[in-house]
Amino acid sequence: MNKNKKHASDLTLDEKISLLSGNNVWHTKEIKKIGLKALTLRDGPHGVRDGEPAIAYPNLCLAACSWDRQILYKLGQYLGDDAKEHGIDVLLAPGVNIKRTPTAGRNFEYFSEDPLLTGELAAEFVKGIQSRGVAACVKHFVCNDRENKRFSYNVTVDEKTLREIYLKPFEIVIKKAKPKCIMSAYNFVNGQFACQNHMLYDVLRNEFLFSGTVMSDWGGTDKRKNFYNAGGNLEMPGSDEKTHDDVKLAVLNGELSEDKINESAEKIIELADFCSCSAKPKIAKDIASLAAESFVLLENNGILPIGKDEKIALTGDALQASVFCGGGCANVSGKGANTLLSELSQYFCNADFVEKPSEKLNSYNAVIVFLREKESSEGFDRKDLSVDCSLLKQVALYNKNIITVLINGSVILLNQVKQYSAAVIESYYAGQALGKALPLALTGAVVPSGRLAETFLSKESDSYAYGEEDDEDIFYAERTSVGYRYYAEKAIKTQYAFGYGLSYSRFTYCDFYADKSFLDEGTEGVNVYVTLKNDGVFDAKEVVQIYLHTDGKNGDPIVKLVAFDKVFVKKGQILKTKLFIAASEFMRYDVKKQKYVFYGGKVKLSVNSDAQSVLLTTDITLKPYLKADRYTTVGEIINKQNGAELVVKHLKKAIIGCIIGDDDNYPFSVKNGHIAGEEFFSRVAESLQLRQLVSMSNNKLSEQELDQIIAILNEE
Ligand code: GLC
């Protein structure tokens, strides 16, 4: 053991217990005896929030629309550098909760309604932060998917849904980015506080193999001993002065093992070790381009791009603001930020600010109208999805060439915006970058290539979450059909689909194929190829989106994103792209088997321009190797290769014994994948699990004989 390295074993029980609770709101305890410094923990995902001026970056609701792993990595680096500069050891970001509820207050600081897009982009963001020697803290583990009553609501969610949707982003980030910390959520999951839910920790520690520090959300623990017992390590902001003895008593009376205390102390010491590295030379920042590339062009009748010298009018109260960010712990003050109006006026030399629409407006080539939804915040959900369009309607009385720029944290109803606008740009919350990024996008200096990472509804009541806003017990009845998956399943017409976004260029796709026509459990995954042509007059980036289509049975989604990539295509260029789809994307969680298994059979892959718009398709057959066990049904065996012969040869007597009794002459055969004979016999026989051939066959089979048959079935 490295004698200079600090260890929990160098500490007394009292010192260890006190270390597992914050020293104050933003710091852990210092323990001079082993040279352990106090760690500084600070928010947040959009910039440093420590009372000092700090750059307000594009919020994750916008950055996620880039669908660009490199952009998220760079953004993470920028934040990591700023955190290091502010002396921060752990940056409390990113949030990877799912945008299940369109009105959820913190959607602005989350990535998407889709777990794969969330996980992949968050992994890059975490890698970026940690590459600068700052620990990231992925939050909120798990199902903190809305704000109303967040300290007390319970989510009732089935295990398959929990794993395939809500745990999946954490699984991806842990496996791809190895975050140093995870923050548990305030809410209950299936009747237990998330912060002390043993099933969640079992998955986190023993399946995802997360070995880092789990900290509570601020004030999120109930009893410290239960938090540590379940697998939590650091209680924040800390209550040790009042609760130290309770924890110590729990250890002394055996309620809480000292091993848990030692493990937790060790993790905090390791965390401090990681954070002790010195700052690296700062990364050069290009925030404006990053934001401009992420903007989503929702409508454009050809008015965009505009020239730098065009005579334009600017209107909307946002012009007097300088930072656009949601509320709560992810809010950032900004540093050196100018008002939106001053920055736009520097770029557009013929731009005028018009406070009140009047006839004057008809002398302008175009009018840029800024529409703001200002409610998105931690702590409460939005009352509805409305946005005030009165200014837009007034402007439309005098000038139809309206470019509407949306400033919002999450979904808003856009039917009217679309009706009155010649072009619509979704800029979400761009931090303090809007003034510099918007001109780049409006003039085509940077072609906006964002795609929506959440579905924009045409009416609020289309959401499965509509009406549950104040429930204490939320039942995730839509299961894995969250977001676009649900709207596809119910054939609900949405305003703008997940993955939707226009470009100044136009892309055509051809030659979509996979390098395998079938997948079995031995393979890592499949490569798919598709060729794009940029038919436009701009060099531009494009998001290639690959979706899987299943039969929608057993609570499976009928469509799901399984791969994506951002590619750059010069005007006129033809580009052949390759995307890898991991085998895990072709699997569903089988709760009985307690493992992921293939969807089974023939499935369709498609390349789409958005979740609802299929461009090309190809088929893949998933030949799951069915490893028989005592819970396998006769019907499943028949579906195996040579299954029919095996059933007749080894299982016939026992099956007849289960249903008919002793009758060696009972006719038994398998034809066209089914047991022949009258309906009742056939259906019951095929539904029998192998274990029942012992318990129900009237002594036709022993456990030992069943084991031998299973071995034979698996060697075939
Ligand atoms: C808050 C938030 C969490 C934040 C923490 C510290 O309640 O839920 O995201 O990092 O407390 O501000």
Side-chain angles (χ1 to χ4, degrees), residues 540-598:
K541 289 190 177 180
E542 169 71 337
V543 177
V544 182
Q545 305 172 41
I546 309 294
Y547 292 82
L548 172 67
H549 304 261
T550 76
D551 61 15
K553 293 197 176 70
N554 302 310
D556 292 333
I558 60 169
V559 62
K560 62 180 246 191
L561 179 74
V562 291
F564 66 93
D565 197 6
K566 188 83 173 261
V567 294
F568 175 73
V569 194
K570 283 182 166 305
K571 56 179 184 270
Q573 184 190 358
I574 295 173
L575 177 71
K576 180 173 183 178
T577 63
K578 175 173 96 171
L579 293 92
F580 176 72
I581 307 173
S584 55
E585 292 308 319
F586 294 94
M587 295 186 175
R588 59 191 304 278
Y589 190 74
D590 182 316
V591 180
K592 275 193 310 181
K593 291 187 169 70
Q594 287 287 297
K595 66 175 193 174
Y596 279 91
V597 297
F598 275 113

Side-chain angles (χ1 to χ4, degrees), residues 26 43 92 106 139-140 150 183 186 217-218 329 378:
W26 304 115
D43 294 303
L92 303 172
R106 291 180 87 167
K139 61 190 186 181
H140 307 86
R150 61 174 172 159
M183 184 189 295
Y186 283 124
D217 201 338
W218 269 233
C329 69
E378 174 187 356

Side-chain angles (χ1 to χ4, degrees), residues 298-512:
L298 296 177
E299 297 291 340
N300 182 21
N301 70 356
I303 188 172
L304 289 176
I306 57 172
K308 202 172 145 69
D309 306 327
E310 294 225 23
K311 187 173 168 35
I312 55 175
L314 306 170
T315 187
D317 66 3
L319 287 155
Q320 309 313 329
S322 51
V323 175
F324 303 99
C325 188
C329 69
N331 186 274
V332 187
S333 58
K335 183 177 183 182
N338 306 307
T339 64
L340 179 56
L341 177 60
S342 62
E343 295 203 333
L344 292 175
S345 306
Q346 277 171 27
Y347 193 94
F348 292 109
C349 42
N350 284 328
D352 294 327
F353 170 58
V354 172
E355 188 165 0
K356 278 185 74 52
S358 68
E359 287 82 1
K360 259 180 51 183
L361 280 181
N362 57 34
S363 65
Y364 291 91
N365 298 0
V367 184
I368 301 179
V369 177
F370 293 90
L371 288 191
R372 276 177 93 176
E373 168 275 306
K374 302 184 212 172
E375 255 194 309
S376 287
S377 171
E378 174 187 356
F380 58 92
D381 296 326
R382 287 186 292 153
K383 288 181 287 303
D384 55 44
L385 302 179
S386 65
V387 67
D388 179 1
C389 291
S390 51
L391 176 63
L392 181 58
K393 292 175 183 172
Q394 287 166 25
V395 169
L397 297 174
Y398 309 104
N399 194 317
K400 298 293 183 211
N401 293 328
I402 296 172
I403 299 162
T404 300
V405 177
L406 302 171
I407 300 171
N408 50 300
S410 184
V411 179
I412 45 180
L413 297 177
L414 294 175
N415 358 42
Q416 287 199 335
V417 171
K418 178 175 178 176
Q419 182 187 345
Y420 287 97
S421 305
V424 182
I425 285 209
E426 173 57 83
S427 79
Y428 274 106
Y429 290 149
Q432 64 185 72
L434 186 57
K436 289 189 170 58
L438 191 59
L440 299 178
L442 292 176
T443 59
V446 171
V447 175
S449 56
R451 299 288 179 271
L452 293 178
E454 58 188 328
T455 303
F456 273 61
L457 295 173
S458 43
K459 63 180 191 302
E460 193 177 338
S461 55
D462 284 342
S463 165
Y464 39 77
Y466 186 67
E468 68 174 37
E469 288 75 14
D470 280 323
D471 288 0
E472 277 284 347
D473 198 345
I474 311 164
F475 179 41
Y476 283 10
E478 75 284 354
R479 301 188 64 184
T480 57
S481 295
V482 67
Y484 65 88
R485 299 152 173 237
Y486 177 81
Y487 307 122
E489 194 177 287
K490 304 295 182 193
I492 290 173
K493 175 130 184 50
T494 56
Q495 186 72 44
Y496 298 107
F498 172 83
Y500 172 86
L502 301 176
S503 171
Y504 293 154
S505 252
R506 207 176 54 260
F507 296 92
T508 48
Y509 288 70
C510 63
D511 298 336
F512 175 50

